[in-house]
Amino acid sequence: MTTEKDLIVRRFERHELVLPAILSVAPEHQALVRFNPSICERDGWIPATLADISPGGLGLITQVFIPRMSLMRVRVMRGEDERQVLDVKVRLQRICMTDRRPAYLLGTAFVELSDEQKNVIQTITAELDGEQKSA
């Protein structure tokens, strides 16, 4: 018999959006996960697209396979000048190949958020709530 505690239930509403992002392996996992230098941009970062955000984590799309449970750093850019608006550590919870490019949809959970990072995430989701309600 399945109990409520055995079910995996999303705790937060996801807000869909599209913003450029970059990923790198967090220092704790750099000995375990290494990218081929030919796929990395500057300093070991790989390009990604932020697909959704919630108070619990991020959804990202990338063309690089990353092992599940890896700790990653994510930087999200915004605006025409692509200024950095968020720099967080996440744990990769889910990975799904989306098409033959290949492209991978990553489901992540935030790790060790500071109060400042929580405020930025809350600001972004509040803005998205406002856009959705006025649409």
Side-chain angles (χ1 to χ4, degrees):
M1 177 180 232
T2 303
T3 64
E4 186 175 316
K5 71 177 188 164
D6 295 328
L7 297 175
I8 298 173
V9 178
R10 183 168 303 282
R11 293 184 357 208
F12 301 104
E13 178 185 357
R14 286 193 249 179
H15 300 274
E16 292 182 6
L17 72 164
V18 176
L19 290 175
I22 53 176
L23 305 170
S24 73
V25 179
E28 301 93 319
H29 283 185
Q30 285 180 348
L32 302 170
V33 179
R34 292 189 182 165
F35 297 132
N36 184 321
S38 67
I39 64 167
C40 297
E41 290 185 350
R42 57 189 182 269
D43 301 327
W45 292 87
I46 58 171
T49 300
L50 178 64
D52 66 63
I53 187 170
S54 78
L58 304 173
L60 299 149
I61 298 173
T62 185
Q63 293 186 0
V64 178
F65 177 83
I66 302 168
R68 193 171 161 270
M69 302 308 287
S70 297
L71 288 177
M72 306 296 294
R73 277 193 59 203
V74 178
R75 290 183 178 163
V76 178
M77 278 61 84
R78 191 172 190 182
E80 289 183 19
D81 59 350
E82 291 194 355
R83 68 189 179 337
Q84 181 179 307
V85 293
L86 187 61
D87 185 344
V88 291
K89 188 187 310 181
V90 298
R91 179 177 307 279
L92 181 56
Q93 301 290 102
R94 291 173 306 285
I95 183 163
C96 177
M97 187 175 189
T98 61
D99 57 41
R100 295 177 67 186
R101 281 182 262 181
Y104 301 94
L105 178 59
L106 312 178
T108 69
F110 293 122
V111 176
E112 302 169 0
L113 286 178
S114 68
D115 289 338
E116 182 181 341
Q117 290 168 322
K118 289 177 187 175
N119 288 337
V120 170
I121 293 162
Q122 184 177 16
T123 299
I124 292 169
T125 57
E127 286 175 14
L128 293 168
D129 279 339
E131 290 175 11
Q132 290 172 353
K133 289 176 184 171
S134 65

